Amino acid sequence: MDTTNTAQPATMPRIGEKAPAFKAVTTQGDIDFPKQYEGSWVILFSHPADFTPVCTSEFMTFASMQDQFEKANCKLVGLSVDGLYSHIAWLRTIKEKIEYKGMKNVEVTFPLIEDITMEIAKAYGMIQPGESSTKAVRAVFVIDPKGIVRTMLYYPLSLGRNFAELYRIVVGLKTADAFSVALPADWQPGDDVIVPTAGSCGVAKERMEAKDLHCYDWFFCTKKLGKDDVLGKVLKK
Ligand code: BEZ
């Protein structure tokens, strides 16, 4: 059956705006999103279907990194358009039967939302033209402690996500906020960071002469920011 959806998604969230609010049933009880996550970072992510191989590999990977995300004050919330009993059966199967890349007995303790009506999936643009009309794509929303969407990623059905990159995004956004800097390509904690671009000729001249900066040109200056300084600020003690 061809499930290609040629209609445009009804809505898409945007970076810098409030995450669309909803109440939902999950494998961990009811949630009020993003209200009950105020004060924490959240990764809200969708997957196409329970009992599918890519999704299973993703859930096992995410669940095994949950402590790492917790230390960054980041909670995980999954969603698919399957029902609650399917979710429960799938998560039980993962725990009881699946051994994958050294991960076994993996318990998914973060909430997995049931979205049979697709209301949430539609509000977040998770149902995408060109992919399935009945399944959510692999969408990821990184939402800050004030409920603002800070990053959005959309992957197709056929490609599993890179969870190390999702962790890097959370640590990177927290670092950029905490130190008022920007982060260059492939930045990792301990790498040099970018200072805000000079807004006047005087500042541009000072920048070029400053001893603690490395300026590739007046508009592109970096400074050192130690790994311990970053992790001390963005991770829980
Ligand atoms: C998967 O997770 O394996 C999958 C889900 C939907 C379509 C294709 C693959």
Side-chain angles (χ1 to χ4, degrees):
M1 185 171 67
D2 181 7
T3 55
T4 302
N5 177 11
T6 49
Q8 290 300 313
T11 53
M12 296 280 282
R14 287 191 294 205
I15 289 176
E17 292 183 352
K18 274 264 179 208
F22 60 83
K23 291 188 174 144
V25 172
T26 85
T27 49
Q28 301 290 325
D30 294 353
I31 59 168
D32 185 355
F33 193 93
K35 197 169 169 210
Q36 81 180 62
Y37 291 92
E38 257 175 39
S40 295
W41 288 76
V42 193
I43 295 182
L44 172 68
F45 67 102
S46 58
H47 69 276
D50 300 343
F51 293 101
T52 50
V54 181
C55 300
T56 299
S57 70
E58 291 192 314
F59 264 67
M60 293 183 76
T61 307
F62 228 163
S64 15
M65 292 174 75
Q66 195 177 348
D67 286 352
Q68 201 180 335
F69 281 94
E70 277 291 341
K71 282 207 180 90
N73 187 31
C74 180
K75 307 215 177 300
L76 311 177
V77 180
L79 174 145
S80 87
V81 300
D82 291 312
L84 184 64
Y85 298 123
S86 165
H87 286 348
I88 292 170
W90 179 45
L91 299 187
R92 283 175 61 93
T93 303
I94 287 176
K95 179 165 163 46
E96 287 164 14
K97 298 200 182 137
I98 311 287
E99 185 169 348
Y100 170 70
K101 283 200 170 171
M103 296 178 276
K104 63 176 180 180
N105 204 24
V106 173
E107 188 156 6
V108 175
T109 57
F110 55 79
L112 175 49
I113 295 168
E114 79 157 7
D115 187 27
I116 303 169
T117 61
M118 301 190 198
E119 262 177 54
I120 304 167
K122 284 181 184 157
Y124 276 82
M126 292 164 173
I127 308 289
Q128 294 265 325
E131 291 283 304
S132 169
S133 60
T134 56
K135 293 174 167 62
V137 293
R138 300 181 200 286
V140 181
F141 300 89
V142 181
I143 296 163
D144 76 12
K146 292 187 176 137
I148 304 295
V149 176
R150 299 291 299 275
T151 300
M152 306 192 302
L153 299 168
Y154 290 88
Y155 287 60
L157 303 185
S158 54
L159 179 65
R161 287 163 272 217
N162 182 326
F163 291 87
E165 171 63 359
L166 299 187
Y167 181 72
R168 191 189 78 97
I169 289 170
V170 173
V171 169
L173 288 170
K174 294 182 76 171
T175 302
D177 288 357
F179 294 94
S180 302
V181 292
L183 305 171
D186 295 334
W187 176 87
Q188 292 287 348
D191 291 349
D192 292 355
V193 296
I194 295 171
V195 296
T197 304
S200 70
C201 293
V203 174
K205 183 169 181 297
E206 278 167 27
R207 288 275 168 85
M208 293 301 286
E209 290 163 2
K211 293 274 177 289
D212 58 337
L213 299 182
H214 178 96
C215 288
Y216 298 87
D217 202 337
W218 68 270
F219 64 90
F220 181 7
C221 296
T222 60
K223 68 175 182 183
K224 303 243 166 278
L225 182 55
K227 185 172 179 175
D228 291 346
D229 293 331
V230 169
L231 299 185
K233 191 89 174 176
V234 306
L235 300 187
K236 290 182 190 165
K237 300 284 174 284

